[in-house]
């Protein structure tokens, strides 16, 4: 009897051990998965947090414009370069009152103000003795927020009003390139509604959304900064409608305008610039609206006009004509 009990006890113990082993074998893969998942979370946490913060910013700034900070470069006339070394922001701000013409350069789509062709334009203007302010729109470079057409126009208006409040009676000229031409004409019309007229406007590589199909959304690059956003939020840029009615804006503008365009521009064909020139010409006159084209054999395409040796003379003549109009 005892022996059978003993046998039964051994059998029971053996059965319990067997079941425990099987349970451990079943649980091991689960613990392994949890461990691997934990390591994955630790590895991806910084990326996930950055993605989440950017995504939050994306939705917050869609509906709120307050608190936007913009990155802006102020390049002084080259005669002040040595004096500018080590100076603080107050010195740069006060330098705007020296009477030199001031350019606000609004760049094209994607990238930031440090792109070589944008730096090239700044150097040309500085060498001519002009101040240059080059902002990055909201969502570009180190500027906060999300790029939208109303937002970019608001940014340009803000910079213009800041410049005017610190520059006395100096000429203030806006130079828009590519996308910046749309922002420039939007801004000019907004100011005209307030009874303010730009001293001069330069439109380089101007596009016309009324006559030219834009193949992709101009801010699509911004949304694709977020990995997988096209999967989780299909085409979020569809709600960010852009118009940039440059042709209609030109009919309302009263500022002297200089169009600059390369005949081999691969993004905006030269006929587009010629059409816009005709619109502006009909709205004003040949003394106030000029079109300068550059030979296609020079290979400037859409971004290279700053390399042309004749450009400084063209710009200097335009500025002199603006000074004559202002003083006359």
């Amino acid at each position: 009897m005892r022996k059978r009990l003993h046998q039964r006890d051994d059998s029971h113990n053996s059965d319990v051990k067997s079941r425990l082993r099987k349970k451990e074998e079943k649980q091991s893969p689960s613990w392994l998965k949890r461990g691997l998942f934990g390591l994955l979370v630790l590895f991806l946490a910084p990326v996930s947090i950055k993605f989440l913060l950017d995504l939050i910013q994306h939705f917050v700034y869609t509906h709120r414009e307050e608190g936007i900070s913009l990155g802006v470069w102020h390049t002084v006339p080259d005669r002040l370069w040595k004096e500018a070394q080590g100076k603080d922001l107050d010195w740069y701000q006060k330098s705007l009152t020296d009477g030199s013409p001031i350019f606000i350069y609004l760049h094209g789509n994607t990238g930031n103000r440090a792109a070589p062709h944008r730096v090239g334009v700044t150097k040309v203007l500085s060498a001519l003795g002009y101040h240059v302010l080059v902002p990055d729109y909201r969502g570009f470079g180190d500027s906060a927020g999300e790029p939208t057409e109303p937002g970019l126009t608001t940014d340009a208006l803000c910079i213009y009003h800041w410049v005017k409040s610190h520059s006395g009676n100096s000429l203030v000229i806006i130079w828009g390139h590519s996308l910046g031409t749309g922002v420039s004409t939007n801004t000019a019309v907004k100011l005209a509604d307030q009874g303010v007229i730009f001293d001069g406007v330069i439109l380089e590589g101007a596009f016309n959304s009324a006559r030219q199909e834009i193949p992709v959304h101009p801010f699509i690059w911004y949304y694709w900064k977020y990995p997988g956003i096209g999967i989780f939020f299909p085409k979020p840029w569809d709600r960010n409608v852009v118009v940039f009615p440059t042709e209609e804006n030109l009919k309302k503008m009263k500022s002297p305008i200089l169009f600059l365009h390369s005949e081999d521009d691969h993004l905006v064909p030269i006929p587009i610039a010629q059409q816009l020139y005709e619109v502006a010409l009909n709205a004003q006159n040949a003394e106030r609206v000029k079109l300068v084209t550059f030979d296609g054999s020079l290979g400037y395409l859409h971004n290279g006009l700053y390399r042309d040796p004749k450009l400084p003379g063209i710009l200097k003549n335009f500025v002199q004509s603006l000074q004559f109009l202002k003083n006359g």
Side-chain angles (χ1 to χ4, degrees):
M1 183 74 171
R2 291 178 181 174
K3 187 174 182 181
R4 282 197 294 268
L5 284 174
H6 180 71
Q7 288 176 338
R8 286 176 185 173
D9 290 342
D10 287 347
S11 174
H12 174 72
N13 291 338
S14 177
D15 183 52
V16 169
K17 291 177 182 177
S18 177
R19 280 183 288 170
L20 286 174
R21 281 197 300 269
K22 289 179 181 179
K23 187 175 181 181
E24 289 173 356
E25 289 171 0
K26 288 180 181 179
Q27 289 178 340
S28 294
S30 175
W31 285 107
L32 181 61
K33 289 177 183 178
R34 292 177 186 177
L36 291 174
F37 179 75
L39 290 174
L40 186 63
V41 168
L42 289 174
F43 176 75
L44 293 179
V47 178
S48 301
I49 292 171
K50 175 66 167 61
F51 170 72
L52 181 60
L53 291 175
D54 285 348
L55 196 59
I56 290 172
Q57 174 179 278
H58 158 63
F59 287 111
V60 169
Y61 281 112
T62 299
H63 305 287
R64 181 170 68 86
E65 292 185 354
E66 297 83 2
I68 296 294
S69 62
L70 301 178
V72 183
W73 280 345
H74 174 191
T75 300
V76 296
D78 66 351
R79 67 177 181 276
L80 298 177
W81 280 7
K82 288 184 179 180
E83 184 182 348
Q85 300 302 311
K87 294 298 191 297
D88 59 14
L89 292 177
D90 287 339
W91 181 90
Y92 277 88
Q93 180 176 306
K94 291 176 182 177
S95 72
L96 291 172
T97 63
D98 68 357
S100 302
I102 302 166
F103 279 78
I104 300 172
Y105 180 77
L106 302 180
H107 64 65
N109 193 30
T110 74
N112 55 56
R113 60 191 183 276
H117 60 285
R118 295 162 188 164
V119 173
V121 170
T122 301
K123 288 182 176 179
V124 170
L125 293 172
S126 176
L128 287 169
Y130 309 144
H131 291 274
V132 194
L133 278 86
V134 187
D136 270 320
Y137 316 109
R138 59 185 63 197
F140 287 69
D142 55 355
S143 296
E146 176 180 3
T148 64
E149 182 173 356
L152 269 60
T153 304
T154 297
D155 296 341
L157 285 168
C158 178
I159 293 166
Y160 173 78
H161 287 305
W162 185 89
V163 168
K164 287 298 292 182
S165 68
H166 293 89
S167 61
N169 199 39
S170 300
L171 283 174
V172 178
I173 304 154
I174 192 166
W175 180 334
H177 173 238
S178 193
L179 175 72
T181 63
V183 181
S184 297
T185 61
N186 275 0
T187 305
V189 170
K190 289 285 187 181
L191 286 173
D193 291 341
Q194 302 169 14
V196 178
I197 306 299
F198 269 123
D199 293 321
V201 176
I202 296 177
L203 301 177
E204 177 194 357
F207 69 97
N208 185 359
S209 59
R211 300 177 185 267
Q212 178 187 16
E213 182 179 355
I214 301 175
V216 294
H217 193 287
F219 304 137
I220 191 173
W221 58 269
Y222 174 82
Y223 296 97
W224 282 113
K225 291 195 306 182
Y226 308 102
I229 195 168
I231 299 173
F232 299 107
F233 305 98
K235 295 188 177 180
W237 51 87
D238 282 351
R239 288 172 291 180
N240 186 349
V241 178
V242 294
V243 179
F244 291 113
T246 300
E247 184 172 326
E248 292 303 312
N249 287 342
L250 289 170
K251 296 175 183 179
K252 304 172 186 176
M253 288 171 59
K254 299 179 181 179
S255 303
I257 303 172
L258 172 63
F259 288 90
L260 301 174
H261 215 94
S262 179
E263 293 176 350
D264 67 338
D265 191 317
H266 62 302
L267 297 181
V268 184
I270 187 67
I272 296 293
Q274 293 167 336
Q275 290 168 351
L276 291 174
Y277 166 70
E278 293 295 333
V279 171
L281 189 64
N282 291 333
Q284 299 194 62
N285 57 61
E287 291 185 0
R288 297 177 65 83
V289 179
K290 306 290 183 182
L291 168 63
V292 177
T293 60
F294 296 80
D295 195 311
S297 65
L298 298 172
Y300 295 145
L301 300 175
H302 190 63
N303 297 331
L305 295 187
Y306 73 93
R307 303 198 306 265
D308 193 279
K310 296 180 181 178
L311 182 62
I314 294 168
L315 297 175
K316 187 175 181 179
N317 289 339
F318 181 61
V319 170
Q320 287 176 342
S321 71
L322 298 180
Q323 291 171 328
F324 177 78
L325 288 171
K326 189 167 186 174
N327 298 329

